[in-house]
Amino acid sequence: MPRPAPARRLPGLLLLLWPLLLLPSAAPDPVARPGFRRLGTRGPGGSPGRRPSPAAPDGTPASGTSEPGRARGAGVCKSRPLDLVFIIDSSRSVRPLEFTKVKTFVSRIIDTLDIGPADTRVAVVNYASTVKIEFQLQAYTDKQSLKQAVGRITPLSTGTMSGLAIQTAMDEAFTVEAGAREPSSNIPKVAIIVTDGRPQDQVNEVVARAQASGIELYAVGVDRADMESLKMMASEPLEEHVFYVETYGVIEKLSSRFQETFCALDRCALNTHGCEHICVNDRSGSYHCECYEGYTLNKDRKTCSAQDKCALGTHGCQHICVNDRTGSHHCECYEGYTLNADKKTCSVRDKCALGSHGCQHICVSDGAASYHCDCYPGYTLNEDKKTCSAIEEARRLVSTEDACGCEATLAFQDKVSSYLQRLNTKLDDILEKLKVNEYGQIHR
């Protein structure tokens, strides 16, 4: 008999390749089934984020804008802080190469997140018939060490105990002791379950308890994954929390969808914030305005006014505070002082300039702390070393004093001369009488 034509084997080959042929080449939605779609928005109740809207109907890329329904532009999306736990199925049905694809998927999602104690924290729960917490939320605080830890994870065994894995994550991974944030922090608690089979235990009740405790569940099914089970494990709305890919070979593409889901709108980058000076993104996905140094935020919380630091009394100037146009200030000193190197305090430069020297005419500085007084031309310094007298006036005073002295002397001299004359006259009379008496005695 003739050998069968090769074309007869083509249907079998097509059956093998059919899942790959169904995958679009331009990386569209890997799920085209009714009731399922790629990652999207979640309603109220602690959603970790919203994905960007699609491009404009005309095919042009949507620009960053704050208008409702418009997409975010490039660079206006940043990841929110999360407590994120991956729950990965490593049963025997997941071949080693396929398990490597799952780890690559986890690592790529980590790459899209801001990792750190104040940002997103990541834990991994590995399960099959048993459950193993590979590392807790507080174990790693940077991307490199996180991805290295993911790379060291090995498959477990047979079995698919999904309910037990979710219960373990709730009881041991999403605890404050294990690194989860307090409920008051409003940090979303998110679990991503990746499986290719049907749970071998009950999941309804444990999922309900997990969701009641505030955990948001995403279910990712691969290949033989049971759709009803995926719906059972995921949070509402299901079309935004359930995902399916035909093979592990394309699971990595879902990482970009989770990036969109965990994206927080960067209002500052959109430039629609209205802040006059500085826009600061908050962890809650909102923003607030701040002002440059030397300015204060006005009551409208948008615009800024220059601070009057001089009026506030916080300037630190020793003498004079001067407001500048830029909202800052500088210090100056009183006359006779100079500003020190600290630009705040002042030192005496010239005591004469202080005006407290007491000189009547001229103060002459002899240094930073010394001075002497001088007089204008035609004046002379008095004995107090402060006041001055005109030179002609001084001479007049001296002449007057001299004249007075001469007159007194002449009067005194006249008086003495008159007295001496009278005295001489008396002496002559006495001498005459003595002569007469002596003569009379001789002739007796």
Side-chain angles (χ1 to χ4, degrees):
M1 290 182 66
R3 191 173 180 178
R8 299 197 177 195
R9 297 180 184 175
L10 189 57
L13 181 60
L14 285 174
L15 288 174
L16 291 174
L17 295 178
W18 186 249
L20 294 176
L21 293 174
L22 288 175
L23 292 175
S25 59
D29 199 331
V31 180
R33 307 185 183 196
F36 298 89
R37 70 180 200 181
R38 66 179 183 177
L39 291 174
T41 62
R42 183 190 177 201
S47 170
R50 290 182 174 271
R51 66 178 177 87
S53 302
D58 59 1
T60 58
S63 59
T65 176
S66 62
E67 295 177 9
R70 295 296 298 276
R72 306 168 192 157
V76 298
C77 179
K78 58 183 295 184
S79 71
R80 299 189 175 188
L82 306 170
D83 286 338
L84 175 61
V85 176
F86 290 94
I87 304 174
I88 56 176
D89 177 3
S90 66
S91 58
R92 189 166 295 175
S93 61
V94 183
R95 299 177 181 86
L97 181 59
E98 294 173 338
F99 192 70
T100 300
K101 294 285 187 182
V102 173
K103 293 193 291 184
T104 301
F105 164 67
V106 172
S107 294
R108 288 195 174 180
I109 292 180
I110 290 172
D111 276 330
T112 68
L113 303 172
D114 295 322
I115 302 297
D119 295 301
T120 293
R121 302 178 185 180
V122 176
V124 173
V125 174
N126 188 7
Y127 80 97
S129 59
T130 59
V131 179
K132 177 184 178 183
I133 297 181
E134 296 289 347
F135 52 84
Q136 298 282 20
L137 291 168
Q138 62 188 2
Y140 302 102
T141 58
D142 64 275
K143 291 184 181 181
Q144 183 177 359
S145 58
L146 252 180
K147 293 194 295 182
Q148 289 174 349
V150 170
R152 292 191 293 267
I153 298 174
T154 57
L156 294 177
S157 59
T158 60
T160 311
M161 305 297 287
S162 302
L164 179 61
I166 296 171
Q167 183 70 52
T168 303
M170 180 173 58
D171 294 342
E172 300 181 30
F174 284 112
T175 63
V176 174
E177 295 76 16
R181 264 69 68 96
E182 295 280 359
S184 58
S185 67
N186 294 321
I187 301 296
K189 292 177 172 54
V190 178
I192 300 176
I193 306 165
V194 182
T195 182
D196 72 342
R198 181 193 299 271
Q200 295 176 348
D201 56 355
Q202 294 296 319
V203 297
N204 289 1
E205 292 184 4
V206 67
V207 167
R209 289 196 299 271
Q211 292 176 348
S213 69
I215 299 173
E216 185 175 6
L217 295 166
Y218 290 87
V220 177
V222 184
D223 193 13
R224 299 173 297 277
D226 179 64
M227 292 300 173
E228 292 304 316
S229 298
L230 294 177
K231 292 179 183 180
M232 212 176 297
M233 292 187 290
S235 298
E236 295 285 349
L238 294 178
E239 65 270 16
E240 296 171 1
H241 291 82
V242 177
F243 308 92
Y244 176 83
V245 291
E246 285 80 1
T247 68
Y248 281 99
V250 294
I251 191 173
E252 300 168 19
K253 295 181 180 180
L254 286 179
S255 60
S256 62
R257 312 291 172 78
F258 277 100
Q259 179 184 11
E260 294 173 356
T261 293
F262 299 151
C263 172
L265 184 63
D266 190 342
R267 295 287 298 276
C268 294
L270 286 175
N271 202 28
T272 59
H273 46 77
C275 299
E276 183 179 3
H277 285 183
I278 303 168
C279 178
V280 180
N281 282 301
D282 298 328
R283 294 193 180 278
S284 61
S286 61
Y287 69 97
H288 69 274
C289 300
E290 294 182 359
C291 299
Y292 298 138
E293 185 178 359
Y295 290 80
T296 54
L297 197 64
N298 295 328
K299 290 183 179 180
D300 62 8
R301 317 305 296 173
K302 298 281 188 178
T303 59
C304 301
S305 296
Q307 291 179 346
D308 188 348
K309 285 197 173 181
C310 296
L312 293 175
T314 58
H315 46 79
C317 299
Q318 184 180 2
H319 285 182
I320 304 169
C321 177
V322 180
N323 283 305
D324 299 326
R325 291 179 181 272
T326 58
S328 61
H329 71 284
H330 69 274
C331 300
E332 294 182 357
C333 298
Y334 299 138
E335 187 177 0
Y337 290 80
T338 185
L339 195 64
N340 295 328
D342 61 7
K343 302 299 183 183
K344 298 283 186 179
T345 59
C346 301
S347 297
V348 175
R349 180 186 66 209
D350 185 355
K351 280 200 170 183
C352 291
L354 296 179
S356 59
H357 46 77
C359 298
Q360 184 181 5
H361 284 186
I362 303 170
C363 179
V364 180
S365 180
D366 297 327
S370 179
Y371 70 96
H372 68 274
C373 299
D374 205 346
C375 298
Y376 299 140
Y379 290 81
T380 185
L381 193 64
N382 295 329
E383 291 181 0
D384 61 7
K385 302 298 183 181
K386 299 280 187 177
T387 59
C388 299
S389 297
I391 294 175
E392 293 299 326
E393 179 66 17
R395 287 177 179 173
R396 186 186 66 77
L397 290 173
V398 172
S399 299
T400 301
E401 291 174 358
D402 290 346
C404 292
C406 291
E407 291 178 359
T409 301
L410 291 175
F412 177 73
Q413 290 176 348
D414 289 344
K415 187 174 182 180
V416 171
S417 179
S418 176
Y419 178 77
L420 290 174
Q421 287 179 358
R422 288 196 302 275
L423 184 58
N424 286 333
T425 301
K426 288 181 178 182
L427 288 174
D428 288 343
D429 290 343
I430 292 171
L431 290 173
E432 187 64 30
K433 289 179 179 180
L434 288 174
K435 286 180 180 181
V436 171
N437 290 336
E438 185 180 358
Y439 179 77
Q441 290 177 357
I442 294 173
H443 289 82
R444 283 181 183 175

